[in-house]
Amino acid sequence: MCGIIGIVGNEAVAPLLLDGLKRLEYRGYDSAGIATVFDGQLERRRAEGKLRNLEAVVADQPLSGTIGIGHTRWATHGRPTVNNAHPHATAKVSLVHNGIVENYKELKAELAGKGVVFETETDTEVVVQMISAYLDEGLAPKEAAFETLQRLEGAFALAIVFAGHGNLMIGARKGSPLAVGYGEEGMYLGSDALALAPLTNRLSYLEEGDWVVLSRDSVEIYEENGEAVERAVVQSAVSGAMIGKGQYRHFMQKEIFEQPAVIGDTLHTFYNPETGRITLPEFPFDLTSIPRITVIGCGSASLAGWTAKYWLEQEAAQLVEIDIASEFRYREAPMPEGGVSLFISQSGETSDTLAALHYAKSRGQKIVSVVNVPESAIARESDMVLPTLAGPEIGVASTKAFITQLTVLACLSLAIGRAKGVLTEEREAELSRALSEVPARVSEILNHDQAIRSIAVDVAEARDVLYLARGNMYPIALEGALKLKEISYIHAEGYAAGEMKHGPIALIDENVPIIACAPSGPLLEKTISNLQEAHARGGQVILISDAEGLAKAGDIARHAIEIPAIDPFVAPILYTIPIQLLAYHTAVLKGTDVDQPRNLAKSVTVE
Ligand code: F6R
């Protein structure tokens, strides 16, 4: 979602800002802009749509100055037009904003009452107009910003520059992430470490309510109440090189092919090849007596959680509740004493997930999170973090983050199963071995890439697609449908195969591909009979199974994708690969913007 970059440096800042915005593109946006201070004057350039449009505007009307701010906007309040694009500005102040000012109507009415004329449909404009009004009253920039921040409700990350101040930038954070970068050549603000990667890797992450005053060679951080505060400076491991596409056509494709490596990296933090056992770091609570684990996430992260529910129930006899964060946060769920809440998030900044975490905390739950960005708010607010080592994920559709979430959750299920004495030693050894073989099996499946591409030719023709599965594969059917929808824009639904006759079967005709994930195991026969019912009604079955499953299904499948035979426990991880490739190739054939699908943002920092 919206990306922010701010630079107080000593060289021409416009190219650096545009470059920083390119590194923020992955977050999702529909307009962009930059502003600088030059000769005491504020100037800005903005454009609708992709960054190349902004680059063209800047090439046509260059911007001078060594201090400036930049923004990629994902529209919330007001359409994605040039006029609504950030930076917003008056003659005295210009700023970029990520988040939503919830009390903007009230503040707008107050300012309008004093004669301020608003030019945009955005919530952000009240911030710039209020700072400007305080400046008009004679306040210095720092005081004007401080007074304004006190009045804002909602979530925001802000970067602000002032006319007549070529060496001053103010940043603020509440609910939306903002990092301060310390460099040799200047100081920086960025929505994330990636934005700042080539400029500096020395960062401070602002805490809730913090605001910061930057000059070329100084940084002063303040708490919400105005007290000066020190925040740790950390070395970011993210490098500019990590965000190249290499030999791949899309980031999503690169990230799919990175999966054997990142599963291996994640697994090796927990799996000891010498003992053949999974060992997790010590938990700050007793694993044997958790009354209930409440698993929460959004989108793909919540589907990883759904899979964990099957694993935890089956292998650890653990009571589990699962919900999506946007519902959970408001439903006033009672939570058991001594309960654990498990939050799953790639970005660690998803606002619904964070709000659900705050709710669980307020109900006395222990907080465990499975997060990909270790400096994120969700990671920071957890009692314990189980990291996914996926590395930066740039494609908007979650692939390697999802698969590493599954990897961590499988390890967690085994650790709880063992601690509770539910898993026998032999079964634990069997499952750990199966897990340790996953990276190699995933590489084998990736070899089917071209065969899956040819199946995608049929899928790309479809208007609707059904994904069916049972048991711990059911969440993978949901994930398959989500992946296809978001990047190919084809309508898709995931169903538990046994639920078909209760409604969805009415959708089936010869134009509806039915993608089934059906590994051999206790539910294979049942899934095959559901597929037979679909086949009998003209449904075009694409069957993903192992040799045994494909043999048992006989000729009901129009297309088959063969997966190595594995323990059903790890099947959700392996069967994710073909559904990702199928979605990817379908989207490429349809010519959509695979890495930045329309309307979507990578990190959803607004409600
Ligand atoms: C789907 C996808 C989204 C995210 C969801 C949660 O491919 O990427 O559904 O999984 O927005 O995001 P995080 O994991 O950052 O909390």
Side-chain angles (χ1 to χ4, degrees), residues 298-301 345-347 350 396-398 482-483 486:
C298 295
S300 292
S345 175
Q346 186 285 125
S347 60
T350 301
V396 160
S398 180
L482 176 60
K483 215 89 302 176
E486 65 183 332

Side-chain angles (χ1 to χ4, degrees), residues 141-181:
K142 197 171 146 184
E143 281 70 43
F146 178 63
E147 289 302 326
T148 303
L149 292 173
Q150 311 290 307
R151 304 288 315 277
L152 304 182
E153 284 166 24
F156 51 81
L158 292 162
I160 315 166
V161 286
F162 303 85
H165 296 268
N167 190 22
L168 171 70
M169 181 175 295
I170 294 184
R173 177 219 154 114
K174 195 170 177 186
S176 292
L178 193 66
V180 179

Side-chain angles (χ1 to χ4, degrees), residues 297-302 344-350 353 378 393 395-399 405 479 482-483 486 601-604:
C298 295
S300 292
S302 80
I344 307 169
S345 175
Q346 186 285 125
S347 60
E349 300 289 352
T350 301
T353 310
I378 291 175
E393 189 177 65
V396 160
S398 180
T399 53
Q405 286 161 356
E479 170 65 3
L482 176 60
K483 215 89 302 176
E486 65 183 332
K602 182 69 187 159
S603 159
V604 183

Side-chain angles (χ1 to χ4, degrees), residues 115 119 183 250 459:
E119 290 170 358
H250 296 101
V459 179

Side-chain angles (χ1 to χ4, degrees), residues 267 278 280 308 311-312 315 404-416 431 435 569-570 573:
L267 207 50
I278 299 290
L280 296 187
W311 283 333
L312 284 161
E315 309 299 344
T404 51
Q405 286 161 356
L406 290 180
T407 306
V408 170
L409 293 165
C411 293
L412 177 67
S413 309
L414 296 190
I416 297 182
L431 297 182
L435 259 179
F569 176 72
V570 295
I573 310 182

Side-chain angles (χ1 to χ4, degrees), residues 114-282:
K114 292 181 185 162
V116 173
V117 178
F118 284 83
E119 290 170 358
T120 77
E121 299 161 322
T122 66
D123 54 327
T124 304
E125 197 185 351
V126 295
V127 188
V128 82
Q129 293 291 0
M130 182 162 281
I131 297 176
S132 220
Y134 281 124
L135 293 171
D136 285 343
E137 285 172 21
L139 266 62
K142 197 171 146 184
E143 281 70 43
F146 178 63
E147 289 302 326
T148 303
L149 292 173
Q150 311 290 307
R151 304 288 315 277
L152 304 182
E153 284 166 24
F156 51 81
L158 292 162
I160 315 166
V161 286
F162 303 85
H165 296 268
N167 190 22
L168 171 70
M169 181 175 295
I170 294 184
R173 177 219 154 114
K174 195 170 177 186
S176 292
L178 193 66
V180 179
Y182 298 75
E184 297 298 320
E185 306 295 329
M187 301 297 170
Y188 310 96
L189 289 176
S191 297
D192 59 30
L194 274 182
L196 304 181
L199 301 168
T200 180
N201 59 4
R202 294 178 56 231
L203 304 178
S204 277
Y205 290 92
L206 294 184
E207 304 269 328
E208 272 305 276
D210 281 359
W211 56 288
V212 59
V213 179
L214 309 177
S215 77
R216 213 157 280 129
D217 48 21
S218 69
V219 171
E220 293 160 15
I221 303 180
Y222 300 92
E223 287 182 304
E224 197 164 4
N225 61 9
E227 292 280 315
V229 67
E230 297 281 327
R231 298 288 176 219
V233 180
V234 295
Q235 200 81 16
S236 160
V238 174
S239 86
M242 276 171 156
I243 54 171
K245 276 189 253 189
Q247 80 220 46
Y248 296 97
R249 183 164 166 200
H250 296 101
F251 281 109
M252 181 179 178
Q253 186 189 25
K254 172 177 172 251
E255 288 159 2
I256 290 173
F257 278 83
E258 277 172 6
Q259 291 178 117
V262 294
I263 297 169
D265 291 346
T266 304
L267 207 50
H268 287 137
T269 52
F270 305 128
Y271 177 73
N272 181 339
E274 272 159 33
T275 59
R277 295 189 100 175
I278 299 290
T279 313
L280 296 187
E282 195 149 325

